[in-house]
């Protein structure tokens, strides 16, 4: 499918959207929050400079102090450092998996909804079918299949190319994870896009475009997909947190991040065990996690309103 | 409509067959075998006997053929992780609890989510909108493995008539449903709000509004109907996902449901159990999706003409 | 717009329906669940013990299970020859056996069964039931995982492993051949030969194989396990079998003929020929012959593999060697314990009620026991705080701390015969170096781990076998960072320089195991300057990796089946399915053999101590700590005392309701 068929009036659409977005204070605050958190997780550790994986047992579960701004975890590691490093993994998993799932989902759903008839039916039944495959199985399979190869690549990078070993180890473990999550996450997205597309392609203006002899690709990219962006963006803002949570559920089952690496979901899951005894180990990761999700969400809302001029005139 | 149902049922069989075949070979491709999951190692001669008992010593294709034949006769095989139990029995015994929790969860989701979404949309950009969306966000942000224990601590421990966990009194359905439903309610609220706003901005609604037509009938007749479409699309899979995906809730609240078997079947390589669950779940999903499609047809006459 | 708002400001119809439904729902719930007493209060009134049991059991057939969870249920509904004492370790009370004695050298034991021991359906228990039971668990076709617990009986191992050659020519007094002359024949097969390339064809069709393959195949299977058809091909000479030269042609023919005769007869059960060491002198006198002296046999008979099962019921549902026939289901099961199975809801509960036909039912105070398969340990503790349980199965470290604050009177922490250790794969570099192993061991501060991570009052292991009153474990293991660094330098890795960076600790997804691995990782980095990785695998893969020696370091634990060092030492022999370290020592195995032949209890323990010293010196495993059990016990439960094996006899437990 050609990607060069950008809507001609696209630039003005996105320009208008940006102007509308910048008028929405909440969205702008959210945008900066997201930027701040991403920077904090990816650049912050270099400034903060505390090893997230070393700690001494006697220092376990300390309350926040000058030395440990957010306290320490159950084996005496600095919680702030762990939250920052954990954020890298959570955000990477979420972004990468979302990118994979959105791309597949839009393409699949739009084609299915637009083409309609028997093909649509078959495509949707395949989605039904795959949705009926437990998520876990796909993840385990992917992990087993990909992990070996990724490890080979990782070995090559460290031994032949001389890359930093810790760095490679940290990431070679999560790649199978987000591929697995992304590859099963597109199913619901494709259903939503398909429903939208199917009802849109019945609308007068699409029929008009068709009767004018516009190509299918053009109709899809110019008239249909842009009009499904609202639900897609809303769903995406919901998908990012749910993927972060998926990752945690997988870690919960021992299929996620390998220790001593961590992720927000894993930190929250571990923290939940201290509900009665040490609330801070749950509170801080959960707080960072929630703020991030709130920000993503309000940003998504703002984008939606901005992209849908009609709706925002009320 | 009738033709739709018939063809969907036939399709469901095809889908389930495809899935079953996929899982059959996929689970066997994962390293490890069903008999090596005990903490003590099993002598080789014993292992051979047990493999023979479960038919695991046969070539793969023979096992497959035999399994298909048994499935067609309604026999899903013997579980290896719970020796002496048939897969049929496990599904039958754990289905009621799953269904109840699933229905409870969906009820919570619908009762909280849809009204919240509708109100938020009608009062767009007001404090009600923001606060209900914020509440919805909290619902999404709190993982079940945090919300569950929190409810145990804050609700169950404080009241006499709600137990921390268990499946004995009618009240035991409350906390699991809430834990499962709140997340879905949040999704639903946001989808409903989005859908509502979409419709409210349509020209015919705006015209009607401009002409001073009373709003309530419009909302009920057009807006709500259209706004429910994404929500209904979401509900079908959500119901089935709640049933299989509730393993965390099931372990936290000690609910004897099906979700945990999915996880156990994978981790203990219980081939027959996993296949049986996939078959059952495949039909369940097909049923749920069929209901969704029927609901969508009823909601949107335009789609009806299309199919 | 304003119109809309007005309508909704009054009260949205949707909202009204929510309120209504919620009201209705809560009304219904309060109606159906008017609890004016807590579950514990109710259970105390009814005399039912509510006990957390960790998980749904894999079954309750004493011959087919191997776990602790299953044992907890089986111990209530079945009873063996001897019974655990409610407060003393290594003490046997009479069970089905009223009294017992042994001969001089502990190789023959006589158990006198009581006359009033009945099955729950009123049928008397006889020595025949025990013989049937031991016959059943040892039947090669039953596939009992834990049959080796009965290998103490003479000829039991050979019968269980279907060693036809041995049974025909050694155990059978009428044997035409002398076993000593033919025992080198390949009877049991050689599992090392790779037959995967022709595995499936070989099973059914022998003719499609090349003669070389045939020979490999037959050797792999061994004479004991090959089919009639395959025996014929050996007999008619169409393929060669690798006979030892010491065995004459005539002897070969006798062997083949005997095996064929058995196969042609449809491979009947060899129990009678095998002469397994269990006989009935009178209907109520059970005589047990052992393969060597065992002074502590009564202790072993308390294990559920030695419990009797009802012959008359089992044969009603199948033959002696059909597994999983459904005889253990509610309504079918007949048992002989202080309790009988009353109801069983999958993943929900198992309930056993007092057995009126039990011989000692006047001692039994409880009216019943309700086992709850609570998997989540945090939920379990919260259920206990909320008065839903009398006893928890376990207690996570965080909850130990919390319980100390909120329910100190309920917290129990008791020694438990078990050891947590690391297996080292001694076939891999650099772990093949004993110095490296010792260095890794010396760099572990066990006390620190226990006090900060486990918090269950465990004992740092100074040896392998948990110390008991009878057995003094060698004091070899201790934390010494300087010593560790010195050893490391001697091994060629001063300050960890040149040490591999790919060493991995294999763990299960269990939270405590992961934390342990993380703590070890940090300690080894701190004291030895080496980096190890952590690899987390789910249970099945975790075990397979160890069996295939596809790991470096793996966490592990072992719980004693009875109070004797052999339960911790035997597994490190060569070829034992639980060794998995690639380590073996003939010297070590000789000591074990010596101990097995020795009838003097204290001498025997001395020899075992020497055996333990050998393995500790080599250190293929790094013992970390000896277990304790931590749990919560409601104060209304009486008669629940600390026991090293944690096998609490339910018949002595009482509930005191206020």
């Amino acid at each position: 499918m050609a990607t060069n068929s950008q809507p001609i009036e696209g630039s003005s659409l996105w320009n208008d959207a940006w102007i509308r977005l910048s008028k929405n204070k909440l969205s702008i605050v959210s945008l900066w929050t997201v930027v701040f958190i991403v920077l904090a997780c990816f650049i912050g550790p270099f400034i903060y400079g505390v090893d997230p994986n070393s700690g001494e047992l006697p220092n376990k579960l300390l309350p926040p102090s000058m030395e440990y701004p957010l306290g320490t975890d159950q084996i005496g590691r600095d919680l702030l450092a762990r939250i920052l490093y954990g954020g890298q993994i959570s955000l990477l998993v979420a972004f990468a998996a979302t990118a994979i799932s959105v791309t597949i989902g839009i393409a699949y759903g739009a084609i299915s909804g637009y083409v309609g008839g028997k093909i649509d039916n078959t495509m949707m039944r395949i989605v039904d079918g795959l949705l009926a495959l437990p998520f876990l199985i796909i993840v385990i399979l992917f992990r087993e299949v990909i992990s070996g190869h990724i490890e080979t690549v990782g070995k090559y990078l460290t031994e032949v190319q001389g890359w930093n070993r810790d760095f490679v180890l940290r990431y070679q473990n999560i790649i199978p994870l987000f591929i697995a999550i992304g590859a099963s996450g597109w199913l619901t997205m494709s259903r939503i896009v398909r429903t939208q597309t199917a009802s849109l392609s019945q609308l007068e203006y699409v029929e008009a475009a068709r009767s004018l002899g516009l190509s299918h690709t053009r109709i899809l990219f110019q008239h249909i997909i842009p009009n499904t962006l609202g639900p897609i963006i809303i769903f995406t803002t919901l998908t990012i947190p749910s993927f972060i949570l998926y990752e945690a559920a997988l870690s919960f089952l021992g299929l996620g991040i390998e220790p001593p690496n961590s992720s927000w979901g894993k930190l929250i899951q571990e923290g939940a065990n201290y509900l009665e005894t040490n609330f801070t180990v749950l509170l801080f990761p959960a707080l960072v996690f929630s703020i991030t999700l709130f920000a993503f969400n309000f940003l998504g809302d703002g984008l939606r309103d901005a992209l849908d001029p009609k709706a925002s005139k009320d | 409509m009738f033709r739709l149902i018939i063809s969907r049922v036939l399709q469901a069989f095809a889908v389930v067959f495809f899935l079953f075949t996929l899982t059959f070979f996929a689970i066997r491709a994962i390293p490890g075998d069903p008999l090596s999951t005990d903490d003590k190692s099993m002598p080789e001669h014993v292992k051979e006997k047990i493999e023979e008992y479960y038919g695991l010593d046969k070539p793969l294709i023979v096992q497959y053929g035999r399994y298909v034949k048994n499935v067609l006769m309604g026999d899903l095989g013997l579980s290896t992780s719970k020796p002496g139990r048939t897969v049929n029995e496990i599904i039958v015994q754990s289905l009621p609890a799953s269904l109840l929790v699933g229905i409870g969860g969906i009820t919570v989701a619908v009762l909280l989510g849809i009204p919240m979404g509708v109100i938020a949309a009608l009062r767009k950009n007001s404090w009600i909108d923001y606060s209900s969306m914020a509440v919805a966000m909290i619902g999404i942000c709190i993982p079940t493995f945090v919300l569950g224990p929190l409810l145990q601590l804050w609700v169950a421990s404080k009241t006499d008539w709600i137990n921390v966990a268990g499946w004995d009194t009618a009240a035991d359905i409350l906390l699991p449903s809430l834990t499962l439903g709140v997340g879905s309610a949040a999704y639903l609220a946001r989808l409903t709000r989005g859908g509502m706003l979409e419709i409210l901005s349509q020209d015919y609604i705006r015209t009607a509004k401009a002409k001073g037509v009373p709003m309530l009938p419009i909302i009920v007749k057009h807006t709500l109907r259209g706004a429910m479409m994404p929500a209904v699309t979401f509900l079908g899979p959500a119901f089935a996902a709640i049933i299989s995906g509730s393993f965390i809730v099931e372990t936290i609240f000690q609910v004897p449901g099906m979700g945990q078997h999915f996880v156990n079947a994978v981790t203990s390589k219980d081939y027959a159990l996993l296949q049986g669950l996939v078959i059952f779940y495949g039909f369940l999903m097909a049923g749920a999706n069929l209901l969704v499609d029927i609901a969508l047809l009823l909601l949107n006459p335009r789609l009806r003409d299309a199919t | 717009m304003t119109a809309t708002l007005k309508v909704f400001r009054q009260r949205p119809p949707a909202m009204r329906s929510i309120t209504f439904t919620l009201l209705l729902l809560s009304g219904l719930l309060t109606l159906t669940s008017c609890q004016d007493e807590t579950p514990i209060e109710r259970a105390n009134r009814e005399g039912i013990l509510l006990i957390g049991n960790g998980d749904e059991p894999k079954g309750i057939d004493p011959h087919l299970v191997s776990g602790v969870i299953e044992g907890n249920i089986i111990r209530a509904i079945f009873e063996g020859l001897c019974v655990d004492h409610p407060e003393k370790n290594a003490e046997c009370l009479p069970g089905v056996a009223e009294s017992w004695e042994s001969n001089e050298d502990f190789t023959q034991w006589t158990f006198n069964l009581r006359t009033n021991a009945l099955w729950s359906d009123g049928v008397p228990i006889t020595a025949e039931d025990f013989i049937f039971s031991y016959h059943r668990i040892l039947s090669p076709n039953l596939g009992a995982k834990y049959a080796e617990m009965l290998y103490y009986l003479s000829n039991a191992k050979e019968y269980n492993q279907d060693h036809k050659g041995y049974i025909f020519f050694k155990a059978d007094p009428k044997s035409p051949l002398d076993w000593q002359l033919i025992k080198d024949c390949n009877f049991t097969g050689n599992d090392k030969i790779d037959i995967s390339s022709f595995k499936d064809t070989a099973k059914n069709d022998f003719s499609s194989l090349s003669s070389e393959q045939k020979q490999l195949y037959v050797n792999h299977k061994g004479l004991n396990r090959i089919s009639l058809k395959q025996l014929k091909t050996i007999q008619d000479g169409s393929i060669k079998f690798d006979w030892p030269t010491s065995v004459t042609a005539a002897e070969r023919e006798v062997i083949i003929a005997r095996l064929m005769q058995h196969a042609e007869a449809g491979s009947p059960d060899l129990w009678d020929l095998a002469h397994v060491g269990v006989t009935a002198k009178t209907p109520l006198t059970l005589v047990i012959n052992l393969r060597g002296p065992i002074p502590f046999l009564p202790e072993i008979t308390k294990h559920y593999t030695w419990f009797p099962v009802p012959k008359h019921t089992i044969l009603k549902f199948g033959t002696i060697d059909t597994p999983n026939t459904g005889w253990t289901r509610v309504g079918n099961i007949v048992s002989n314990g202080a309790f009988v199975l009353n109801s069983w809801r999958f993943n929900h509960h198992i309930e056993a009620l007092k057995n009126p036909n039990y011989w000692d039912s006047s001692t039994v105070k409880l009216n019943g026991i309700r086992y709850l398969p609570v998997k989540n340990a945090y939920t379990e503790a919260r259920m206990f705080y909320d008065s839903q349980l009398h006893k928890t199965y376990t207690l996570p470290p965080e909850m130990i701390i919390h319980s100390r604050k909120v329910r100190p009177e309920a917290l129990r922490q008791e020694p438990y015969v078990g050891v947590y250790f690391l297996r080292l794969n001694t076939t891999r570099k650099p772990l093949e170096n004993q110095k490296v192993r010792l260095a890794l061991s010396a760099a572990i501060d066990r006390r620190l781990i226990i006090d900060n991570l486990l918090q269950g009052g465990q004992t740092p292991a100074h040896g392998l076998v948990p110390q008991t009153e009878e057995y003094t474990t060698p004091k070899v293991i201790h934390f010494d960072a300087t010593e560790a660094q010195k050893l490391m330098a001697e091994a060629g890795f001063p300050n960890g320089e040149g040490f591999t960076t790919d060493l991995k600790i294999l763990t299960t997804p269990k939270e405590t195991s992961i934390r342990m691995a993380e703590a070890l990782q940090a300690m080894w980095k701190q004291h030895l300057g080496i980096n190890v990785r952590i690899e987390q695998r789910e249970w099945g893969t975790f075990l397979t990796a160890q069996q295939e020696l596809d790991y470096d370091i793996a966490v592990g634990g072992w719980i004693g089946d009875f109070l004797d060092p052999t339960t911790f030492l035997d597994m490190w022999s060569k070829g034992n399915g639980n060794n998995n370290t690639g380590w073996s020592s003939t010297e070590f195995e000789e000591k074990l053999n010596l101990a097995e032949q020795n009838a003097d209890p204290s001498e025997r323990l001395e020899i075992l101590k020497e055996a333990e010293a050998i393995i500790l010196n080599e250190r293929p495993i790094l013992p970390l700590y000896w277990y304790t059990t931590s749990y919560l016990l409601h104060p209304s439960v009486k008669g629940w005392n600390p026991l090293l094996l944690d096998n609490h006899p339910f018949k002595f437990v009482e509930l005191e309701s206020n």
Side-chain angles (χ1 to χ4, degrees), chain C residues 294-485:
Chain C
I294 295 174
F296 54 95
L297 184 75
E299 192 64 27
I300 294 178
T301 64
K302 295 193 290 195
H303 192 269
Y304 54 76
T305 45
W306 283 72
F307 287 1
V309 291
K311 182 178 180 178
H312 57 288
T313 310
I314 287 179
L315 293 182
K316 204 159 78 188
F317 288 91
T319 62
I320 186 168
D321 54 6
T322 9
N324 310 323
T325 54
W327 75 272
T328 52
R329 294 296 180 88
V330 176
N332 300 343
I333 190 169
V334 167
S335 63
N336 72 329
F339 299 88
V340 279
L341 186 67
N342 178 55
S343 74
W344 184 348
R345 242 182 93 189
F346 192 56
N347 265 331
H348 186 264
H349 78 271
I350 287 183
E351 192 175 67
L353 295 182
K354 189 172 173 175
N355 176 3
N357 278 329
Y358 180 59
W359 64 271
D360 194 15
S361 63
S362 61
T363 305
V364 183
K365 297 293 187 303
L366 290 176
N367 288 324
I369 308 166
R370 200 172 162 93
Y371 298 90
L372 303 174
V374 189
K375 275 173 238 159
N376 187 305
Y378 300 91
T379 295
E380 196 188 31
R382 285 172 197 136
M383 283 172 84
F384 184 88
Y385 301 143
D386 199 35
S387 292
Q388 282 185 264
L389 283 177
H390 279 119
K391 183 198 171 284
T392 64
Y393 180 71
T394 176
L395 196 62
E398 304 82 288
M399 289 308 209
I400 295 177
I401 311 286
H402 187 57
S403 302
R404 224 170 254 152
K405 262 186 239 150
V406 295
R407 295 293 288 274
E409 81 290 353
L411 179 64
R412 295 278 202 113
Q413 294 189 286
E414 292 151 9
Y416 181 33
V417 198
V419 60
Y420 193 89
F421 54 81
L422 303 175
R423 277 190 175 88
L424 304 182
N425 184 350
T426 59
T427 62
R428 282 198 182 170
K429 269 186 183 171
L431 298 173
E432 55 167 19
N433 187 336
Q434 180 224 14
K435 290 232 161 75
V436 171
R437 303 199 292 261
L438 291 176
L440 290 176
S441 176
I444 302 170
D445 189 346
R446 293 164 173 80
R447 176 50 69 192
L448 198 66
I449 290 178
I450 290 168
D451 289 348
N452 293 291
L453 205 66
L454 308 164
Q455 314 188 58
Q458 289 87 344
T459 320
H462 55 70
L464 170 62
V465 181
Q467 175 119 20
T468 58
E469 274 171 50
E470 292 78 26
Y471 183 80
T472 335
T473 309
K475 281 200 170 64
V476 187
I477 303 172
H478 49 90
F479 167 61
D480 186 341
T482 354
E483 171 74 13
Q485 283 150 14

Side-chain angles (χ1 to χ4, degrees), chain A residues 60 165 254 259 273-274 276, chain C residues 378 382 398 452 501 533 536:
Chain A
K60 65 171 191 326
R165 199 175 146 274
N273 295 340
Y274 294 87
E276 281 99 342
Chain C
Y378 300 91
R382 285 172 197 136
E398 304 82 288
N452 293 291
T501 52
R533 289 166 57 186
Q536 177 184 313

Side-chain angles (χ1 to χ4, degrees), chain C residues 8-44:
Chain C
F8 277 90
R9 205 169 283 143
Q10 280 168 353
R11 181 181 262 185
M15 281 302 274
R16 201 177 300 148
S17 71
I18 302 179
T19 335
F20 177 71
T21 321
L22 280 180
L23 268 175
L24 191 77
L25 207 68
S26 56
L28 261 173
L29 289 168
T30 30
L31 266 181
T32 47
S33 61
C34 40
Q35 290 179 322
D36 38 3
E37 52 181 0
T38 64
I40 283 286
E41 284 163 355
R42 187 169 155 215
N44 281 351

Side-chain angles (χ1 to χ4, degrees), chain B residues 80 161 187 192 266 286:
Chain B
T80 47
W161 56 283
Y187 278 79
T192 310
V266 177

